[in-house]
């Protein structure tokens, strides 16, 4: 999911892993995205965006192939 994309619901990681990434402007990193959190099996994300419907302030990227619901 790209930064600023409309919310698409709640995601649950069943297998593999997903990175939550902050843009350089949010972390004042020199360049590139910075890892905020690594979601592993049993972790979930998107619950707040589903309730409040703001645009996401971070991006998500698959680190290790698996299954996400």
């Amino acid at each position: 999911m790209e930064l600023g994309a409309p919310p698409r619901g709640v995601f649950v990681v069943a297998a593999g892993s997903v990175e939550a990434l902050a843009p350089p402007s949010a972390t004042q990193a020199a360049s590139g995205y910075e890892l905020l959190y690594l979601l592993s099996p049993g972790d979930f994300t998107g619950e707040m965006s589903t309730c409040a419907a703001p645009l996401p302030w971070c991006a998500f990227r698959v680190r290790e192939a698996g299954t996400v619901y």
Side-chain angles (χ1 to χ4, degrees), residues 3 9 13 30 41-42:
L3 178 69
V13 179

Side-chain angles (χ1 to χ4, degrees), residues 15-66:
S17 60
V18 176
E19 298 173 331
L21 305 165
S25 60
T27 61
Q28 299 185 6
S31 64
Y33 283 82
E34 183 176 332
L35 181 66
L36 289 174
Y37 189 78
L38 181 63
L39 296 117
S40 56
D43 288 335
F44 59 94
T45 188
E47 69 286 356
M48 292 306 292
S49 63
T50 300
C51 295
L55 292 178
W57 56 272
C58 64
F60 295 94
R61 175 175 64 196
V62 173
R63 178 183 271 190
E64 180 185 354

